[in-house]
Amino acid sequence: MDDRYSRQTLFKPIGHAGQAKLAEAHAFLVGCGALGSSIAETLVRAGIGKLTIADRDYVEATNLQRQQLFTENDAEGGVPKVVAAEKRLRQIRADVEIVTVLDHIDGPLLERLAPDVDILLDATDNFETRLLLNDMAWKKGIPWIYGACVGSTGVVFPFIPGRSACFRCLLPVLPAVNETCDTAGIIAPAAQIAAAHQSAEALKWLTGNEAAMRKKVLHFDIWNNTYVEAGISRIRHEQCETCGKAPTYPALERTEGTGYAVLCGRDTVQIVPEEGRTLTIEDGERVAIRLGEAYKKTPFFIQFHADEYRCVLFGNGRLLIHGLRDIRTGRKLYHQLFG
C-alpha cells in the first residue's frame, strides 16, 4: 500500500514531510464515545504513528446511534470501549501502534502514561477531566484540543500553552454545553462535526502547520444553522493555577482515599478504591453469590445487582453503581458489599 496516503500528501500543507511527521507522532485521546471513536478512526486512517486511548466505560446499545467504531455484538457483550475500538482500528490499519487504558484517568496515571505525547485530545464529558488535560498540557508545553457536543450543538478550541488563555481561565465565560446527552439527546452529525474540527486541529499541529490552527472558539448549532466564533486572547488571569505566574497544576495532584463521583449526565456513581486496596472480579463474584444474585462475568468486569442497583466491578477494582446519583448512598452500598 505504498500509495495509501497519496491523496493526503497531495494536499500541499501536509505533503510528504508532514506525513513523515505524522508517522512519528503520538496522540493521547481521553474518551472513546461519539467524539473519541470518530477522532480515533480519523487519526489512524490519516497515518498517525501511535495512539493512546483511555476510556472507563463499556459499549451499550444507546451508544450505537453515534459511536461509529462499535457494533451490536459489542453492545450485547458489554465489551469495553477501548477493547472494541482497538479491534476495529487494527482492522483498518494493521501497522498502527495503539495503547489502550481501561480506567478512570487521574493526574498521576496521565503523567505516567504520557511521557512522550505530542498532543492531548479531549473526548470526555466532564469539566474535571478537562481541567486535568489542561494542567497536563501546560506542564508539558503541548496543546490539547477541547471538544464538546450535545443536542445539535458543539464547541471546539485548541488550547496551546503560551498562545492563549487556558481552560481554567476561560471556564466562567467559555460557550457552555450545560446539558448532557442523557438529558437533551444528541444527533450524530453534531458529534461528527465537532470531531472533524478536533481532528483537523490535531493534524495541523502534528504535521507542522501550527500557524494554521484555530485562533477563536467555535460554537455551532447544526440544526439551526448557526456558527459563532469568539476571541479569547485577552482573557487570562495572572494568578491562574495553570497558566499564571506561579502555576501549581492542582488537577494533577493525587487524590487520597477512596474516590466517589457521579458520572456526568448519568444515574451512575463511580467508586475508585483507595491506593493499596485491591478488589478483584473474584471478589465481586463472591458478593453476588452471597447476595443470591445472578451475575455476568467477562474478562474485564463482573456485573450483578444489589438491591435495585446494577453494579459493575472492573478487574482493577473500580466500581460503577448504575441507577444512583447520590454519593452517600453509593458509599453506604459500597461498604455493605465489600466492607
Side-chain angles (χ1 to χ4, degrees):
M1 295 189 182
D2 292 340
D3 62 346
R4 179 171 192 144
Y5 306 110
S6 62
R7 301 304 186 271
Q8 190 161 281
T9 56
L10 283 171
F11 181 62
K12 291 182 180 180
I14 293 180
H16 291 285
Q19 192 67 43
K21 290 179 180 179
L22 186 60
E24 298 296 323
H26 179 192
F28 197 119
L29 175 63
V30 180
C32 196
L35 293 176
S37 60
S38 181
I39 294 168
E41 181 171 345
T42 298
L43 293 181
V44 167
R45 288 185 183 276
I48 195 165
K50 180 178 180 180
L51 179 64
T52 297
I53 310 172
D55 193 283
R56 60 192 178 188
D57 215 342
Y58 51 91
V59 182
E60 298 181 278
T62 56
N63 302 147
L64 300 180
Q65 162 255 351
R66 66 198 179 280
Q67 299 183 18
Q68 64 192 49
L69 288 179
F70 309 133
T71 68
E72 289 182 347
N73 287 339
D74 296 327
E76 290 168 2
V79 179
K81 290 183 178 180
V82 293
V83 174
E86 180 180 15
K87 179 181 178 181
R88 175 59 179 149
L89 292 170
R90 291 198 183 281
Q91 291 172 340
I92 292 170
R93 194 178 129 222
D95 68 340
V96 64
E97 182 178 355
I98 298 176
V99 177
T100 59
V101 184
L102 175 59
D103 206 347
H104 170 74
I105 293 294
D106 61 12
L109 179 57
L110 181 59
E111 290 201 84
R112 186 165 71 250
L113 292 170
D116 61 340
V117 166
D118 299 297
I119 196 168
L120 298 165
L121 290 147
D122 164 35
T124 185
D125 59 2
N126 64 87
F127 286 133
E128 290 77 13
T129 306
R130 288 169 178 142
L131 286 170
L132 176 66
L133 292 173
N134 189 64
D135 278 8
M136 183 68 173
W138 253 259
K139 185 174 182 179
K140 290 183 66 68
I142 61 174
W144 74 280
I145 314 300
Y146 167 65
C149 56
V150 68
S152 60
T153 68
V155 185
V156 174
F157 184 68
F159 287 94
I160 306 175
R163 301 191 193 182
S164 70
C166 80
F167 184 76
R168 192 181 297 274
C169 290
L170 298 177
L171 197 54
V173 296
L174 193 69
V177 178
N178 293 319
E179 295 177 302
T180 70
C181 299
D182 293 276
T183 60
I186 184 170
I187 58 173
Q192 292 162 354
I193 289 170
H197 280 284
Q198 288 181 276
S199 299
E201 296 304 308
L203 288 176
K204 292 173 190 176
W205 181 266
L206 297 175
T207 60
N209 290 278
E210 297 92 338
M213 295 184 75
R214 176 173 291 280
K215 307 298 191 300
K216 295 182 178 181
V217 176
L218 170 66
H219 183 281
F220 67 85
D221 185 331
I222 190 60
W223 199 263
N224 295 300
N225 304 309
T226 61
Y227 291 83
V228 178
E229 293 186 316
I232 59 171
S233 58
R234 297 182 181 180
I235 305 172
R236 185 165 178 261
H237 303 296
E238 291 187 356
Q239 304 307 315
C240 176
E241 295 173 299
T242 300
C243 68
K245 293 181 177 180
T248 57
Y249 313 116
L252 296 177
E253 295 176 0
R254 180 180 298 279
T255 301
E256 301 296 336
T258 303
Y260 301 87
V262 177
L263 298 190
C264 180
R266 301 176 61 184
D267 293 332
T268 301
V269 169
Q270 175 180 264
I271 301 171
V272 179
E274 63 185 333
E275 187 177 10
R277 177 165 192 191
T278 302
L279 286 179
T280 67
I281 290 176
E282 287 68 32
D283 291 324
E285 185 174 12
R286 283 190 285 271
V287 167
I289 293 171
R290 188 182 79 224
L291 295 174
E293 294 284 350
Y295 59 88
K296 175 182 178 181
K297 187 176 178 182
T298 79
F300 309 101
F301 62 80
I302 184 168
Q303 176 179 279
F304 59 91
H305 279 79
D307 298 329
E308 71 270 34
Y309 306 116
R310 179 165 59 96
C311 300
V312 178
L313 178 67
F314 290 87
N316 63 356
R318 185 169 57 90
L319 177 68
L320 300 180
I321 305 176
H322 296 284
L324 184 62
R325 291 188 61 82
D326 180 66
I327 287 179
R328 289 177 297 179
T329 304
R331 181 185 290 112
K332 181 179 179 181
L333 180 60
Y334 172 67
H335 287 294
Q336 287 176 349
L337 295 176
F338 298 104

